[in-house]
Amino acid sequence: MGGGARTAYQVGVLKALTAMLRLQSPFEEDFPFQVLVGTSAGAINAAFLAGQAAQGLAAFDQLSAFWSRLRSQDVYRLQVAPWLRFSRLAVALNLWTRARTDGAILDTMPLVDTLHRAVNLGGIEDAFEQGALDSVAITGSSYTTGVHWTFCHAGEDRWREPWSRPGRRSEFQPITIEHLMASSAIPFLFPATALWVDGRREYFGDGSMRQVSPLSPAMHLGAHKVLVVGVGQPQRAGFAGGEATNGAPGIGAIAGHAMASVFHDTLQADVEQAQRVTRTLQQLPREVAAVLPYRSVEVMSIQPTQSVDALAQAHAHELPAGVRRALGGLGAARGAGALASYLLFEQGFVRALMALGEQDAYARKDELLAFVSGRAA
């Protein structure tokens, strides 16, 4: 799953997993996953890893290095005149005008340049040819039709029939930078991206929107075990960010709550459902389970054990000055951790998230190793 800058947490989890695998089997450097599925900024992580999968575990080292170099200026631009912060109406009008003109508040051309330099799309085919990877999938939500699409790139011997379910479909086509921009287009903040599906042009936004079954693409692509690394958090409602007078939620609280609903709220429900179905199938007689239109899928989920909003609040001062002025002018600066956490591509916050990911992974070391490698520590 994705969530803007919060996605650095995934990098910490994978960094710890890489260290565990190397310690367990020092001479094995094979890439440990056969299918990669990503949504929003998680799509960027998935595509980056797919492009380096032929390098084995070194792919995770390179992903960590990529995030360690990343800055907000590499992702987006927002210019807000200093004097605007003193007038909420002026800020609102300025941002509304920008959104009307550009389709979004932020300019994401820096991200286009960053991805062209960082993501090795040609390496995906190399990974297929060398057997390091079976398939990679990126999800996006069509503003044009409302359909949630999964774009799948697979080796020739792994080609599968596209699937179609109510409100969600798939199509097999090579992954491009445009797919990554579409999947990571946070609503209102990042502009929509045009993609071709069914022989026509449609405009896409963040893949987390209308994603009712986040695990479905991995299952359709043949996964029997799914490691899910989300970026949700415990008790987010208690730190949604920003309060108006009399305890009523301010714009920061409302925006943070809306973002969390878009990015995280469907994931845990889908994980629980998959685990429940698997437990039920395992309890049925084998001959009965064999005729049912379901199959067992082992799912392990890792999510932050600490408040990402609180972590972002502590690093909110690192935001670019224009973004801070915009939040301040909109009355969302106070307690703006929830909203800021999606935009804080700065090294203090990124390092803190990666450290939290490593900490959470090591806390479940035996379980994680047994799940990924089939062997306990």
Side-chain angles (χ1 to χ4, degrees):
M1 295 294 285
R6 304 165 73 104
T7 314
Y9 173 84
Q10 297 171 354
V11 184
V13 172
L14 295 173
K15 182 179 179 181
L17 174 61
T18 303
M20 294 177 201
L21 291 172
R22 283 175 169 152
L23 185 62
Q24 184 185 62
S25 304
F27 302 106
E28 289 186 18
E29 285 283 322
D30 292 343
F31 194 74
F33 305 113
Q34 287 73 55
V35 176
L36 293 172
V37 179
T39 296
S40 192
I44 295 174
N45 282 347
F48 186 103
L49 290 173
Q52 304 295 337
Q55 308 303 317
L57 292 180
F60 300 104
D61 300 329
Q62 295 176 37
L63 179 65
S64 178
F66 166 70
W67 275 88
S68 296
R69 296 189 301 268
L70 202 61
R71 300 293 188 276
S72 294
Q73 66 190 25
D74 300 317
V75 180
Y76 61 83
R77 283 190 294 257
L78 174 64
Q79 300 296 330
V80 178
W83 62 269
L84 287 177
R85 66 172 299 183
F86 299 107
S87 170
R88 294 186 182 183
L89 178 60
V91 168
L93 288 174
N94 179 268
L95 297 182
W96 174 250
T97 300
R98 187 186 304 273
R100 286 287 302 272
T101 303
D102 302 328
I105 292 174
L106 301 175
D107 174 10
T108 55
M109 281 306 299
L111 180 58
V112 175
D113 295 337
T114 296
L115 294 180
H116 274 291
R117 293 194 303 269
V119 179
N120 180 14
L121 296 176
I124 298 177
E125 288 294 339
D126 294 337
F128 294 155
E129 291 175 4
Q130 296 181 32
L133 189 69
D134 291 343
S135 55
V136 59
I138 305 301
T139 66
S141 184
S142 173
Y143 287 123
T144 306
T145 63
V147 174
H148 188 274
W149 283 86
T150 299
F151 300 99
C152 308
H153 190 176
E156 292 184 4
D157 59 336
R158 299 291 180 176
W159 199 267
R160 296 173 180 268
E161 287 296 320
W163 62 88
S164 179
R165 300 290 186 273
R168 50 192 176 94
R169 297 181 58 184
S170 72
E171 187 165 297
F172 280 78
Q173 53 181 261
I175 298 300
T176 66
I177 298 301
E178 286 72 24
H179 288 98
L180 303 183
M181 292 301 297
S183 182
S184 59
I186 301 174
F188 304 111
L189 298 179
F190 291 3
T193 298
L195 298 174
W196 285 88
V197 291
D198 270 352
R200 65 182 180 187
R201 193 183 193 203
E202 296 187 13
Y203 284 88
F204 282 79
D206 201 290
S208 295
M209 296 185 293
R210 304 176 69 91
Q211 189 175 35
V212 297
S213 185
L215 303 188
S216 174
M219 296 178 183
H220 278 292
L221 291 170
H224 291 273
K225 299 174 70 175
V226 182
L227 175 63
V228 179
V229 187
V231 293
Q233 62 185 44
Q235 301 177 338
R236 68 167 174 83
F239 205 98
E243 291 185 354
T245 58
N246 301 320
I251 190 169
I254 294 171
H257 183 78
M259 287 288 194
S261 299
V262 168
F263 283 104
H264 317 303
D265 284 357
T266 61
L267 176 61
Q268 196 56 40
D270 205 29
V271 168
E272 291 174 359
Q273 179 176 324
Q275 292 172 337
R276 186 165 54 250
V277 169
T278 294
R279 285 195 300 268
T280 300
L281 290 174
Q282 291 172 346
Q283 293 169 1
L284 291 173
R286 184 173 301 177
E287 60 274 14
V288 175
V291 299
L292 294 176
Y294 306 104
R295 61 183 174 85
S296 295
V297 178
E298 190 178 351
V299 179
M300 179 178 176
S301 175
I302 295 182
Q303 304 256 18
T305 56
Q306 299 177 20
S307 171
V308 177
D309 293 350
L311 203 59
Q313 182 67 37
H315 292 273
H317 63 279
E318 300 175 12
L319 278 168
V323 177
R324 291 202 310 273
R325 284 195 290 269
L327 291 176
L330 290 172
R334 180 177 174 271
L339 186 56
S341 67
Y342 299 92
L343 300 175
L344 253 172
F345 294 91
E346 300 299 333
Q347 284 310 289
F349 184 56
V350 167
R351 283 195 297 266
L353 274 178
M354 289 174 62
L356 177 59
E358 290 185 77
Q359 174 185 309
D360 289 349
Y362 276 113
R364 301 175 65 182
K365 178 180 178 181
D366 290 348
E367 181 187 2
L368 187 56
L369 273 176
F371 185 88
V372 173
S373 67
R375 302 190 300 271

